[in-house]
Amino acid sequence: MTTLSTSSCLPTSATVREVGLRDGLQSLPIVLPTQTKFEWIDAAYVAGQREIEVGSFVPAKLLPQLADTDALVSYAKQRPDLLVSVLVPNLKGAERAIASGADLMLVPLSASHAHSLANLRKTPEDVVAMVGEIRAARDAAGSAMLIEGGVGTAFGCTLQGEVRADEVLRLMQALLDAGADRVSLADTVGYADPASVRRLFEQARRIVGDRLCCAHFHDTRGLGLANVLAALETGVSRFDACLAGIGGCPHAPGASGNVSTEDLVFMLESMGIATGVDISRLLALREAAGRWLPDQPLHGALWRAGLPKTFPSYAGAV
């Protein structure tokens, strides 16, 4: 159960799940060497991050950027208390994820019928049925891996336009009924605003409570952090973010810019919400990303402006 501050009705702590190694890199035209990804995992871990999505089990010919996911899972699993997650688009990918020993698999479902077909070549109902098969495969293997059903395009879609809230909520419940352990909601294309976030997350939490485990926002139109705050106010305390704000969905035109990890951690820590992340070490990792990803669009306000002198760890900042 999420602990809320009685004075502010906000969580006293929050988890930032780093998804840059998957959601970020999948949208870039370069293939980062596996050894560099190992360095990324090490630096994120040393900075205090304890949930990292390291890749996706998809055919290498489709996303060569993620072809080394097996190696990344094996490497990351050597770190104590690190929850290692992967994305799986189909049953075969789920079987590979189970065999890899990852802690969590995220199964994406788009509430937009048009985006679901473009992204997975499946309807939303097909994905719900597939989750049932994945649950059966996991249980048959005796695995303790968590299954998270991620409902994307929850606030609208660049292909379809409007996505009705009642359809989002129906599909969220259908994923749980099919065997998902928990669910998350994603603004895949950056259409959300704080009011719509508050409405949808309040409705979702009334239905499934803490089984709504995570929020995923894009900063496409500059509202990513505002939307995080709105979700925080409903009691959600886990958020996806990408180092340097990289990423987006290849099958959703205009879906650029995930919330920047360093900006999100800075906001939360400034508000007195503990993340367990050392912001100075995180900024050092952000500096390394600039070397690893030359000529790629990197984002983030904190990187440009630096820490304010009033920030508690300013004296030790890079």
Side-chain angles (χ1 to χ4, degrees):
M1 181 70 69
T2 299
T3 302
L4 300 183
S5 165
T6 55
S7 61
S8 65
C9 293
L10 293 175
T12 56
S13 64
T15 299
V16 177
R17 177 168 58 185
E18 177 59 55
V19 298
L21 284 161
R22 194 276 304 172
D23 195 11
L25 295 183
Q26 73 176 10
S27 299
L28 299 183
I30 65 173
V31 176
L32 205 61
T34 302
Q35 183 60 45
T36 302
K37 295 180 183 180
F38 288 168
E39 294 176 27
W40 184 336
I41 291 170
D42 286 340
Y45 183 79
V46 169
Q49 292 193 267
R50 291 298 179 265
E51 294 196 17
I52 303 177
E53 185 179 77
V54 299
S56 177
F57 286 106
V58 296
K61 64 181 180 181
L62 296 180
L63 284 174
Q65 301 95 321
L66 309 180
D68 54 1
T69 295
D70 262 316
L72 296 178
V73 171
S74 178
Y75 187 81
K77 284 292 292 178
Q78 298 173 39
R79 276 117 201 92
D81 303 319
L82 177 61
L83 190 145
V84 180
S85 63
V86 293
L87 181 140
V88 300
N90 51 42
L91 179 58
K92 183 176 180 179
E95 290 170 344
R96 292 178 62 193
I98 293 167
S100 77
D103 300 301
L104 180 146
M105 68 174 92
L106 173 67
V107 184
L109 178 153
S110 180
S112 159
H113 190 276
H115 180 257
S116 185
L117 291 175
N119 192 39
L120 296 175
R121 299 181 184 177
K122 295 180 176 68
T123 68
E125 296 302 334
D126 290 337
V127 177
V128 170
M130 182 182 72
V131 167
E133 296 174 339
I134 290 173
R135 173 61 182 262
R138 184 202 69 178
D139 292 351
S143 170
M145 172 179 265
L146 290 170
I147 301 171
E148 180 179 324
V151 183
T153 60
F155 296 89
C157 173
T158 54
L159 298 175
Q160 177 176 302
E162 181 185 10
V163 176
R164 291 176 56 88
D166 57 359
E167 178 69 355
V168 173
L169 298 170
R170 182 188 71 81
L171 290 167
M172 178 191 70
Q173 183 63 60
L175 286 169
L176 293 172
D177 293 343
D181 297 299
R182 61 195 212 180
V183 289
S184 52
L185 294 176
D187 179 25
T188 310
V189 296
Y191 276 14
D193 62 77
S196 64
V197 168
R198 190 174 292 106
R199 285 194 300 270
L200 185 61
F201 275 80
E202 284 177 347
Q203 290 175 299
R205 283 179 60 80
R206 281 197 294 268
I207 294 170
V208 302
D210 283 348
R211 294 183 77 184
L212 173 61
C213 70
C214 190
H216 180 112
F217 295 114
H218 284 229
D219 198 39
T220 312
R221 293 166 179 82
L223 293 179
L225 292 181
N227 291 334
V228 167
L229 178 58
L232 275 167
E233 291 172 343
T234 72
V236 175
S237 60
R238 179 179 281 101
F239 299 91
D240 288 344
C242 278
L243 185 70
I246 59 176
C249 178
H251 300 289
S256 59
N258 286 278
V259 169
S260 158
T261 301
E262 54 273 22
D263 286 0
L264 176 54
V265 169
F266 169 69
M267 184 186 84
L268 294 170
E269 292 284 346
S270 295
M271 295 171 63
I273 299 173
T275 65
V277 177
D278 183 322
I279 193 73
S280 299
R281 292 182 183 273
L282 186 61
L283 286 172
L285 174 55
R286 169 62 172 79
E287 182 177 9
R291 298 192 301 270
W292 297 335
L293 302 169
D295 304 319
Q296 300 302 313
L298 305 182
H299 310 283
L302 183 65
W303 176 251
R304 293 192 301 271
L307 288 169
K309 293 182 178 180
T310 53
F311 192 75
S313 66
Y314 176 81
V318 294

